[in-house]
Amino acid sequence: MENFASLLHGFGVALTTYHVTLMMIGVLLGILVGVLPGLGAPNGVSLLLPLTFTMDPVAAIILLTSMYWGALFGGSTTSILFNIPGEPSSVATTFDGYPMARQGQAAQALTLAFLSAGFGALMGVILITILSSWVAKFALRFSSPEYFAVYFLAFASFVGLGAASPFKTIVSMGLGFAFAAVGMDTVSGGLRLTFGFNELLSGISFLIAVIGLFGIGELVLTMEEGLHFDGIKVRVRARDVVKTIATLPRYWMTLLRSSAIGCWMGITPGGPTAASFMSYGLAKRLSRRKDAFGHGEPEGVVAPETADHAAGSSAILPMLALGVPGSATAAVMMGGLMIWGLNPGPMLFIERPDFVWGLIASMYLGNIVAVLMVLATIPLFASILRIPFAIIGPIIVIVCFIGAYTVAGRPFDLWLALLFGVAGYLFKKLDYPIAPLVLAMVLGDKAEDAFRQSMIMSKGSLSIFWSNGLVATLMVIGLALAFGPALSTLASRLARPKTSSVAA
């Protein structure tokens, strides 16, 4: 009941003409970001972030989250009409969405995708509404050792639950920690990893890193692939939408199952991409029409889209309540909160309840606005992809460099963005995950401060991380996730000789 009253207050904050206008602008920008190759939700949010520095935090976060929803919908549009996933999490949608479009069912595929996405996002926001206050109150019991244990658990989760190789995840995270350490040490005042560059005294902005990694890096990769657009023209009529809505209840089990998968993968660092693939795989395995998957099966569109958006929205929960982002985009948003002078975590619910509940209420409204607007603007944004990439590419580069320069107004940052762009390209080519690097850059300083404070409290003894049941439990789970892949590999290798000997 307390959460319901807070949510009503949040609707009073979010439901103004100004904020609804920002939602519409954010959704339109997000769809554009999702449709254009070489951009994505994390980079789109990071490019928009410098423009929000002078805005009220509530209005700024509404604009950014609305852009996030729009980017996810834009990725679905290109997946179905062009067979080009605008987001990594939209890859699974191409398996059946594009075949449906080629069979003349583009309107049905798009409507199913958007309605399923809206349902998944709604489930994620409901989860946030129910659990956020409880998680925040529970986190009020935390001191420095507990916070370090939570950060360690987040890092370990990427190793144990991520889709990439654990070794590559650790390497990516290690680089993120190194980048976070650049500059002046806040405790000793010493300089770290500046290599004589005065421009690095204040550290490396995570915004510069994100613009390079996600924007320029993706663009170079797209240029190398020689992307060619050959899409399917579509017009979504109200009659088609109504017919598709009538068929949606037959997929109720898929909607609920995919929402559960998405919410779990959003709270943990599995992320929307893993959620969409897992949901698609389960839907195919449990369906009576297994052979139809991959050839235009509607359930093959419903499952990944529901999980994708459920994961995207529920990733905001750990970011708000614990200060631990559940995805790369959530990490960028968390960096924005810190720039605006807000500290994500349990105290945020006490110090700025208007901000927290205004954000949660705007997520309900923003998703409704996104579904309506994306259905109305599909032909417009689909036509953008028919512009030659030779024109789109340079425009994206200019936008990226403008975004990098507006962070601090330093020409040096342009070189940094370019270096991170090269790094992002190499990461993609070598199949290294970028999200752990971004997470480590955002949380590196906070984890280091929590560790140092814990060591001061215990006079240098690591036993403080086992001093009570809560911190010990978090550390045990973190260690299990960190070393789980290595132990399972070792166990499988030890089991092979026994299996072969038994077979002999």
Side-chain angles (χ1 to χ4, degrees):
M1 186 60 69
E2 179 184 350
N3 282 11
F4 182 71
S6 300
L7 182 62
L8 290 179
H9 171 69
F11 276 111
V13 173
L15 199 56
T16 65
T17 304
Y18 175 55
H19 288 156
V20 172
T21 303
L22 285 179
M23 290 177 202
M24 297 174 68
I25 294 172
V27 168
L28 289 174
L29 289 174
I31 297 172
L32 180 63
V33 164
V35 165
L36 288 176
L39 289 176
N43 190 51
V45 172
S46 64
L47 287 173
L48 193 61
L49 192 54
L51 303 179
T52 66
F53 291 166
T54 57
M55 295 175 63
D56 175 74
V58 176
I61 197 68
I62 287 175
L63 180 63
L64 294 182
T65 52
S66 298
M67 185 177 190
Y68 181 35
W69 310 140
L72 293 177
F73 283 113
S76 306
T77 303
T78 58
S79 296
I80 293 171
L81 296 183
F82 292 86
N83 202 27
I84 300 170
E87 292 282 327
S89 57
S90 299
V91 172
T93 306
T94 64
F95 299 159
D96 285 280
Y98 187 64
M100 285 184 68
R102 296 197 63 172
Q103 295 166 15
Q105 298 177 316
Q108 181 186 358
L110 288 167
T111 306
L112 274 177
F114 300 149
L115 294 177
S116 303
F119 182 87
L122 180 63
M123 292 297 102
V125 181
I126 290 174
L127 181 74
I128 294 174
T129 306
I130 295 172
L131 294 183
S132 56
S133 291
W134 179 83
V135 174
K137 288 178 181 177
F138 179 73
L140 287 173
R141 299 167 52 188
F142 288 11
S143 58
S144 295
E146 285 80 9
Y147 272 113
F148 176 77
V150 169
Y151 298 140
F152 176 72
L153 178 59
F155 299 137
S157 297
F158 269 93
V159 177
L161 300 177
S165 160
F167 172 76
K168 292 181 177 180
T169 301
I170 292 172
V171 170
S172 177
M173 205 172 291
L175 287 172
F177 289 136
F179 294 140
V182 172
M184 185 176 293
D185 182 10
T186 55
V187 176
S188 66
L191 299 181
R192 303 188 296 187
L193 304 177
T194 57
F195 303 106
F197 289 97
N198 293 331
E199 292 87 352
L200 293 177
L201 293 177
S202 58
I204 297 175
S205 169
F206 82 98
L207 275 177
I208 303 296
V210 169
I211 289 171
L213 291 169
F214 289 104
I216 299 174
E218 287 281 357
L219 185 67
V220 173
L221 196 65
T222 303
M223 291 170 60
E224 183 185 56
E225 293 172 352
L227 199 58
H228 174 67
F229 306 129
D230 186 19
I232 296 170
K233 295 183 179 180
V234 64
R235 180 185 175 191
V236 179
R237 295 170 296 186
R239 183 176 57 190
D240 299 324
V241 174
V242 173
K243 285 183 178 179
T244 307
I245 291 175
T247 65
L248 200 61
R250 73 176 63 166
Y251 306 112
W252 66 272
M253 180 58 73
T254 302
L255 288 167
L256 294 177
R257 181 179 62 243
S258 300
S259 296
I261 293 171
C263 288
W264 170 250
M265 298 301 282
I267 294 174
T268 61
T273 303
S276 62
F277 276 100
M278 185 184 297
S279 181
Y280 183 87
L282 274 176
K284 183 177 180 180
R285 185 179 304 173
L286 300 175
S287 176
R288 297 176 181 175
R289 295 166 46 86
K290 294 182 179 65
D291 296 337
F293 277 75
H295 303 284
E297 169 60 33
E299 191 176 357
V301 174
V302 172
E305 283 297 310
T306 305
D308 179 5
H309 285 68
S313 56
S314 57
I316 304 295
L317 173 60
M319 185 268 283
L320 281 177
L322 298 175
V324 178
S327 67
T329 309
V332 176
M333 290 184 184
M334 178 173 164
L337 298 188
M338 296 165 68
I339 291 173
W340 301 328
L342 303 175
N343 289 315
M347 291 305 296
L348 188 64
F349 284 76
I350 297 174
E351 296 172 352
R352 291 295 304 270
D354 58 327
F355 172 84
V356 173
W357 290 104
L359 166 60
I360 294 173
S362 74
M363 292 170 71
Y364 285 96
L365 299 172
N367 276 290
I368 296 172
V369 170
V371 171
L372 295 176
M373 292 197 68
V374 78
L375 285 170
T377 57
I378 288 170
L380 170 64
F381 287 102
S383 65
I384 291 175
L385 277 180
R386 296 186 175 86
I387 300 173
F389 187 72
I391 297 175
I392 294 178
I395 292 175
I396 295 175
V397 172
I398 293 171
V399 170
C400 287
F401 279 121
I402 290 175
Y405 186 77
T406 53
V407 172
R410 299 185 308 179
F412 181 78
D413 288 340
L414 301 179
W415 291 105
L416 274 182
L418 188 60
L419 288 174
F420 276 107
V422 174
Y425 168 76
L426 294 175
F427 267 55
K428 291 288 185 179
K429 293 293 288 185
L430 299 175
D431 201 26
Y432 277 77
I434 295 178
L437 188 153
V438 177
L439 178 78
M441 284 195 70
V442 173
L443 290 184
D445 288 339
K446 296 166 76 73
E448 182 184 5
D449 291 344
F451 181 79
R452 284 182 168 184
Q453 291 166 6
S454 300
M455 290 297 95
I456 293 172
M457 291 168 60
S458 65
K459 298 181 180 179
S461 175
L462 291 174
S463 62
I464 193 170
F465 297 117
W466 312 92
S467 57
N468 60 65
L470 177 59
V471 68
T473 300
L474 292 172
M475 290 299 293
V476 167
I477 297 173
L479 289 170
L481 289 171
F483 294 102
L487 292 176
S488 62
T489 302
L490 180 62
S492 62
R493 288 180 179 177
L494 292 175
R496 282 175 191 169
K498 295 180 182 180
T499 305
S500 58
S501 63
V502 169

